[in-house]
Amino acid sequence: MKLGTALIQGRQQVAVLIFNDELYDANALMTALGDSAMQPLGRIAGVRGLSTIDLIENESTFLLLAQALEKEPGSFANARLVEKECRLIAPIPRPAKNVFCLGRNYADHIQEDNDSRGMNTELPKYPQFFTKPPTSVIGPDEAIVLDEKVTRRLDYEVELAVVIGRGGRDITAANAMDHVFGYTVLNDVTARDLQRRHDQWFKGKALDTSCPMGPFIVHASSVVDPHDLRIQLYVNDELRQDANTSSMIFKIPQIIESLSAGLTLEPGDIIATGTPSGVGYAMDPRQFLKAGDLIRCHVEKVGTVENVVRPAPSSD
Ligand code: MG
């Protein structure tokens, strides 16, 4: 089952469940089901409409809705959104905090980085974390803006992202997967010139539109093994990245244990798990994103998120 956010008629954001490629308004599903067990969320639904975070925090309600929909989709025809009036945006359009990310989590990516810079760094002994701000998040089919006044070396990185369900602190690796709500696809768009110039990753990773995400969150129950998923990225029709999440250096349980040590994770927190080899700056000759490029990020069983690169509007 999949959870996402749709924009209706360009204005109203609603949480949606996706079944058989059809979008169902979570509020309307809840009304149709009318189960008293849903009272806490029912009140929210009546006041301001449900968000994906509401359903992530109340996973049992999400599962009730999902199971009812899967069992008898015909009973919920009134909750189905007509496609031409709505489109999916980022599943969590405005995260409550920065998106957590891992750098250098695939050995082949570390090797290509070493090769491109004539260096010989070792594999990390501990996860290397950085973050991307909420303002960097965009959804499927939204433009990645290339502002050449700011960067001339914009690059891509396809990643599997984990969405935290139950929050916690000091989560052990043994319990970590119980805290995972689901997975989505994330493109860690990076301005390589800023990343190098500032000698720290944040600035080059944090520009507006540099965190495409989506198209939805696939519930963890639908992904048997998140460490055995093909992960690919195309620029236009050229396959640039093609790997398997089995190659991650730090697996999801270790990542969650390390990140949550002394740091509270909350429902809806997002953790991007790093990118494999094939990034543009390590190619020979180097390739950076150009206006008009179509970037397609795909993770098996999780989804595909596509974005076109557009030039920044002229300030003249
Ligand atoms: Mg990355």
Side-chain angles (χ1 to χ4, degrees):
M1 184 50 74
K2 300 161 183 167
L3 174 64
T5 300
L7 193 64
I8 298 178
Q9 293 177 334
R11 299 193 304 272
Q12 186 191 0
Q13 286 184 16
V14 296
V16 291
L17 276 69
I18 299 129
F19 180 65
N20 280 348
D21 294 328
E22 303 274 11
L23 306 184
Y24 292 82
D25 181 333
N27 274 344
L29 280 177
M30 186 167 293
T31 304
L33 212 55
D35 192 312
S36 59
M38 296 183 184
Q39 277 310 305
L41 274 186
R43 278 197 294 276
I44 294 172
V47 173
R48 60 160 170 75
L50 295 173
S51 69
T52 46
I53 298 289
D54 295 323
L55 289 163
I56 291 168
E57 281 179 336
N58 295 274
E59 188 173 8
S60 58
T61 300
F62 167 75
L63 291 172
L64 268 175
L65 294 178
Q67 285 156 9
L69 182 57
E70 282 173 339
K71 196 170 160 191
E72 268 189 287
S75 304
F76 301 103
N78 289 341
R80 191 161 59 83
L81 296 173
V82 180
E83 196 169 329
K84 64 181 183 327
E85 293 178 350
C86 67
R87 65 180 177 88
L88 286 171
I89 58 175
I92 302 174
R94 182 73 184 215
K97 66 176 76 153
N98 285 19
V99 175
F100 298 108
C101 305
L102 262 82
R104 295 164 53 85
N105 199 32
Y106 284 79
D108 59 355
H109 175 54
I110 295 173
Q111 186 62 51
E112 71 176 354
D113 181 51
N114 281 339
D115 292 346
S116 72
R117 297 200 286 155
M119 296 169 66
N120 188 25
T121 57
E122 295 180 353
L123 299 186
K125 292 186 175 62
Y126 300 93
Q128 299 188 336
F129 295 112
F130 63 93
T131 67
K132 296 170 86 76
T135 42
S136 66
V137 171
I138 58 171
D141 305 316
E142 292 181 53
I144 298 168
V145 175
L146 170 57
D147 186 347
E148 292 194 328
K149 296 190 304 299
V150 177
T151 176
R152 292 186 174 259
R153 294 194 167 189
L154 203 62
D155 206 351
Y156 52 80
E157 296 186 356
V158 62
E159 312 204 1
L160 171 68
V162 174
V163 179
I164 294 294
R166 187 156 53 86
R169 196 187 122 155
D170 302 330
I171 299 166
T172 63
N175 293 330
M177 299 308 281
D178 295 341
H179 292 259
V180 174
F181 177 85
Y183 304 93
T184 192
V185 183
L186 190 147
N187 185 355
D188 176 18
V189 175
T190 304
R192 300 295 179 197
D193 39 4
L194 301 185
Q195 187 183 11
R196 304 274 181 261
R197 183 189 308 160
H198 294 276
D199 211 18
Q200 210 276 353
W201 292 351
F202 177 73
K203 175 67 183 179
K205 300 277 193 179
L207 301 181
D208 292 355
T209 74
S210 69
C211 191
M213 188 193 303
F216 33 67
I217 300 164
V218 176
H219 189 257
S221 60
S222 303
V223 181
V224 174
D225 183 1
H227 302 104
D228 185 19
L229 303 174
R230 192 171 184 187
I231 180 167
Q232 297 169 295
L233 181 141
Y234 289 82
V235 177
N236 303 316
D237 289 326
E238 183 183 353
L239 180 61
R240 295 279 187 89
Q241 296 185 277
D242 188 7
N244 192 290
T245 55
S246 59
S247 301
M248 286 184 205
I249 297 171
F250 300 104
K251 303 293 194 278
I252 295 164
Q254 295 168 276
I255 294 168
I256 290 175
E257 180 176 277
S258 177
L259 182 60
S260 73
L263 182 159
T264 300
L265 291 175
E266 298 174 299
D269 281 350
I270 300 158
I271 309 171
T273 57
T275 202
S277 66
V279 297
Y281 82 85
M283 294 175 71
D284 184 15
R286 292 180 168 193
Q287 302 284 329
F288 295 104
L289 295 175
K290 309 180 301 297
D293 282 344
L294 173 67
I295 317 302
R296 184 153 46 99
C297 297
H298 175 72
V299 179
E300 181 184 4
K301 294 187 172 67
V302 180
T304 304
V305 64
E306 287 188 3
N307 303 86
V308 173
V309 180
R310 300 278 185 220
S314 169
S315 53
D316 296 342

